[in-house]
Amino acid sequence: MPGLLLGEMFPNFEAETTNGKITFHDFLGESWGILFSHPRDYTPVCTTELGRAAKLSLEFSRRNVKMIALSINSLEDHHGWIKDILAYNTEGCGSAFPFPIIADCHRELAVDLGMLDPVEKDQLGMPLTARCVFIIGPDKRLKLSLLYPATTGRNFDEILRVIDSLQLTAQNRVATPADWQPGDRVMVPPTMPEEEAAAMFPAGVYTKDLPSGRRYLRYTPQPQGKHIHNHSASDTTIQGEEVVKGEDNEKEGGEEEDEKD
């Protein structure tokens, strides 16, 4: 069945979790949210994923993102599995687990949200849930979805990077290029006129000279604001891109030269 489309309102489902019964939109409140599913409890890849997610829970919290996981086992199984996850993270069994896990024993949510993997099946021949990632905005709309097979664990550092991009571009009329990291320069939309760009980005707009003569590769320093994190960046280079300062920089008329000075 077709899955959710970007921009659609995320279903306001009710579910039993390891932290009690929730209504999803109430659980999110005014925060961003991430819902990620797992094929089954007590499995190796899932244990490493939830362990990594738990270790990064403070990073998600700093970005105002509420975390919630889903697996097709019972609450009893979830509570037992959490002890193994904490042990994998070398934390004591008495430690609090930082986010709830939904018990979707009857696969109802997995079906409704298009999470089932038609290839990977359990010992009874029932399809398992794939490794889905849904990122939901404060407006309760789907902002991003990722789908991994059961054999491939997710990279939660990449998921944090994606959230940084989503939050940055939600607040500013910019886009993030390939391999962007927080603090790197960002791209000015090609539909924005040069005069508007110069006014909107006083730190400067730099255009890459291209053989086509088209002026669509335009960069500006990353705007700063709430929930924007600068982890690893230089101010003169873009990871995976050519340097666009100095002789390689094609000025956007006198306005850009004045701004740079």
Side-chain angles (χ1 to χ4, degrees):
M1 65 178 294
L4 293 168
L5 300 178
L6 294 181
E8 286 188 343
M9 187 67 67
F10 205 87
N12 188 26
F13 59 83
E14 293 185 349
E16 296 289 345
T17 81
T18 49
N19 290 2
K21 189 171 184 177
I22 66 156
T23 300
F24 190 56
H25 288 187
D26 292 340
F27 168 76
L28 293 178
E30 300 301 317
S31 301
W32 289 70
I34 179 170
L35 167 61
F36 45 101
S37 62
H38 299 267
R40 186 172 285 281
D41 294 7
Y42 298 108
T43 53
V45 176
C46 296
T47 299
T48 63
E49 286 188 316
L50 278 178
R52 181 61 177 158
K55 283 188 173 182
L56 288 174
S57 61
L58 183 58
E59 290 298 322
F60 284 93
S61 178
R62 286 171 178 166
R63 290 161 172 81
N64 192 33
V65 179
K66 288 191 174 178
M67 309 170 71
I68 187 165
L70 178 149
S71 185
I72 57 174
N73 295 77
S74 67
L75 285 177
E76 182 181 1
D77 284 338
H78 287 352
H79 284 295
W81 185 32
I82 282 173
K83 296 176 183 178
D84 286 359
I85 296 165
L86 292 172
Y88 167 76
N89 279 355
T90 64
E91 298 171 7
C93 289
S95 302
F97 199 68
F99 53 85
I101 306 175
I102 295 170
D104 190 26
C105 308
H106 303 294
R107 294 175 168 82
E108 292 173 355
L109 264 180
V111 170
D112 290 345
L113 299 177
M115 291 177 165
L116 292 181
D117 186 333
V119 176
E120 295 292 333
K121 295 181 171 60
D122 63 17
Q123 64 273 21
L124 300 176
M126 296 289 291
L128 298 175
T129 44
R131 301 186 191 282
C132 297
V133 178
F134 296 125
I135 297 176
I136 302 101
D139 58 0
K140 311 300 184 293
R141 295 186 181 276
L142 181 64
K143 304 301 182 183
L144 178 138
S145 63
L146 297 168
L147 183 61
Y148 291 69
T151 52
T152 302
R154 286 159 285 198
N155 185 324
F156 282 85
D157 293 302
E158 167 61 8
I159 291 171
L160 285 171
R161 188 193 75 90
V162 166
I163 289 171
D164 286 336
S165 174
L166 290 171
Q167 293 184 342
L168 173 68
T169 57
Q171 298 170 23
N172 302 274
R173 288 178 62 189
V174 297
T176 56
D179 300 326
W180 174 84
Q181 293 291 333
D184 288 351
R185 291 180 186 174
V186 295
M187 308 198 81
V188 178
T191 55
M192 185 181 293
E194 291 187 7
E195 296 77 12
E196 183 181 355
M200 182 168 289
F201 305 112
V205 176
Y206 308 95
T207 304
K208 178 66 182 176
D209 189 13
L210 299 169
S212 68
R214 300 184 181 224
R215 299 164 60 82
Y216 61 88
L217 276 182
R218 297 184 295 170
Y219 301 99
T220 190
Q222 175 184 305
Q224 300 302 306
K226 187 179 179 183
H227 301 320
I228 296 174
H229 299 258
N230 295 332
H231 298 306
S232 60
S234 87
D235 17 26
T236 58
T237 62
I238 303 168
Q239 188 174 1
E241 295 287 344
E242 223 176 304
V243 176
V244 293
K245 290 185 71 174
E247 294 180 356
D248 285 338
N249 179 36
E250 180 187 358
K251 306 294 188 301
E252 290 198 54
E255 290 179 344
E256 182 181 333
E257 183 66 41
D258 293 342
E259 288 169 1
K260 187 177 175 182
D261 292 339

